Amino acid sequence: MNSFGTLFRITTFGESHGVGIGVIIDGCPAGVPLDVAEIQAALDRRRPGQSDLTTPRKEADTVLVQSGTFEGYTTGTPISLFIANADQRSGDYSHIAHAYRPSHADYTYDAKYGRRDYRGGGRSSARETAARVAAGAVAARLLAHFGVEVKAYVSAVGEVELTESYENLNLSLIESNAVRCPEPEAAARMEARIRAAQAAHDTVGGVITGVATGLPPGLGEPVFDKLPAVLGHALLSINAVKGFEFGSGFEGTKLPGSVHNDEFYTDETGRVRTRTNHSGGSQGGISNGQDVYFRVAFKPVATLLQRQATINDQGESIELVGRGRHDACVLPRAVPIVEAMTQLVLADLLLRARANKL
């Protein structure tokens, strides 16, 4: 599927080495203030070539708003956003026209469609995620109307891990370094780990932590579109994602129920709250008004500038060395993608919640 969402719905299109990529947003209410500069700022955080830790491909990722807005506000009609490709080097991929790169989608696309666009992976390329980030910026404006904010940051690169809870970190420091880790000492160690992978012509994976604040209670649809389920669907659809933890996640399995249970109380304003938040802001798949937090695991980038054994489309054993311009670690550029997919999910669930009762 190339579409995602129910009421706030997006459809992305385009390929890595085609004319460009884009997204159609359907279902965004009229009257949402929309500044093109905000969409561009989100894209600038994802674009290639933003630091020497990322791929040197140079793409301005300039967004063109083609429809759906007038005089700075959404009109309620479909919003079309287009991003032209400018720095394609399709010749970098001629050596894989008939080869299957290890851990790429080359073989599976051939198996599914009987043909594939080998230039940068075509539709399977992470370049498609720029369209999601553009749509996420629109969703963020809708969320702001309800007082909801989403932030994500790199919490692990390889074996270098930030162990502090998001509650004990200054999240305003996320953009203070190229890694997008809000703890300076950990960020320095993460950067060193990425540079070591670059020097070895290798790659490294890691973890991104996401947090959504200001959510009202009542978001999420029983039984299959529970908040964690839809969020997991969204985040697992991102290229290179191999794992998703919600709330206490796997670590929560080590706690007894008497410790893990989140006890309710009423605060001085009359608001229902919980004393702990092991549930991650959701019970029964429906938000309870607490912070929603989660972790997303990214595998190491599959393209290596090293010799690897594989096969070609005739089933013959060959050796292959990666070419082109690639990230040694996708984590820093993936932070805005994680934020965008979260924003899209929450915007959709907020609109759905408004239709649940009179």
Side-chain angles (χ1 to χ4, degrees):
M1 291 289 290
N2 298 296
S3 300
F4 181 78
T6 301
L7 295 184
F8 193 101
R9 187 170 179 82
I10 69 166
T11 299
T12 71
F13 59 89
E15 293 84 29
S16 175
H17 284 234
V19 174
I21 53 176
V23 60
I24 304 295
I25 306 168
D26 204 3
C28 182
V32 176
L34 197 60
D35 186 347
V36 178
E38 292 182 0
I39 303 175
Q40 190 61 58
L43 286 167
D44 289 345
R45 295 174 66 221
R46 194 223 67 99
R47 68 176 176 83
Q50 61 187 271
S51 81
D52 61 359
L53 293 182
T54 68
T55 170
R57 177 172 174 171
K58 297 295 183 182
E59 293 284 359
D61 282 352
T62 303
V63 65
L64 174 63
V65 180
Q66 297 179 313
S67 67
T69 68
F70 183 65
E71 295 182 338
Y73 291 88
T74 58
T75 61
T77 59
I79 301 169
S80 175
L81 307 175
F82 181 74
I83 304 158
N85 291 331
D87 189 25
Q88 313 98 305
R89 296 183 188 174
S90 300
D92 287 348
Y93 298 91
S94 59
H95 68 298
I96 63 162
H98 299 286
Y100 296 143
R101 293 169 295 173
S103 289
H104 282 76
D106 302 335
Y107 168 69
T108 52
Y109 264 59
D110 253 358
K112 182 175 179 64
Y113 297 110
R115 62 180 63 242
R116 65 184 170 95
D117 181 351
Y118 60 83
R119 304 166 304 164
R123 189 77 177 133
S124 69
S125 169
R127 178 135 185 80
E128 178 271 341
T129 60
R132 308 187 196 197
V133 171
V138 178
R141 291 302 306 159
L142 178 60
L143 293 177
H145 176 78
F146 295 98
V148 177
E149 185 177 25
V150 175
K151 288 185 179 294
Y153 60 89
V154 176
S155 53
V157 172
E159 68 284 354
V160 180
E161 186 172 6
L162 178 61
T163 57
E164 288 91 342
S165 166
Y166 75 91
E167 297 169 300
N168 299 324
L169 296 169
N170 181 356
L171 299 188
S172 68
L173 297 178
I174 292 172
E175 296 296 317
S176 67
N177 55 76
V179 181
R180 293 199 167 98
C181 171
E183 205 290 305
E185 190 274 334
R189 290 188 292 119
M190 291 175 183
E191 179 174 339
R193 181 65 182 88
I194 296 173
R195 293 194 186 282
Q198 287 177 325
H201 299 299
D202 212 335
T203 61
V204 63
V207 177
I208 289 176
T209 295
V211 185
T213 57
L215 284 172
L219 302 188
E221 303 293 325
V223 170
F224 299 109
D225 280 1
K226 295 177 178 178
L227 170 56
V230 181
L231 196 54
H233 176 191
L235 295 170
L236 286 164
S237 76
I238 299 172
N239 309 57
V241 170
K242 288 296 184 182
F244 171 70
E245 281 189 330
F246 190 87
S248 63
F250 289 101
E251 287 300 311
T253 66
K254 302 173 184 177
L255 299 176
S258 56
V259 175
H260 192 272
N261 281 354
D262 296 320
E263 296 180 352
F264 288 104
Y265 73 100
T266 304
D267 69 14
E268 61 277 5
T269 69
R271 178 184 171 188
V272 175
R273 299 183 62 92
T274 59
R275 299 191 186 280
T276 54
N277 190 21
H278 297 119
S279 298
S282 170
Q283 276 119 16
I286 299 172
S287 65
N288 63 10
Q290 303 297 114
D291 293 348
V292 166
Y293 67 96
F294 52 86
R295 286 162 48 91
V296 189
F298 285 77
K299 71 173 183 176
V301 175
T303 298
L304 302 181
L305 303 182
Q306 296 183 16
R307 192 170 300 278
Q308 298 182 89
T310 187
I311 62 172
N312 61 23
D313 56 12
Q314 300 301 307
E316 300 165 332
S317 295
I318 60 172
E319 286 191 330
L320 191 67
V321 178
R323 300 179 192 168
R325 300 157 296 172
H326 305 280
D327 295 277
C329 178
V330 75
L331 274 296
R333 292 177 59 213
V335 165
I337 305 170
V338 168
E339 290 177 351
M341 293 309 297
T342 305
Q343 289 157 346
L344 292 169
V345 166
L346 298 181
D348 189 41
L349 290 179
L350 273 165
L351 293 180
R352 293 170 73 175
R354 293 169 68 85
N356 283 337
K357 57 187 178 183
L358 293 175

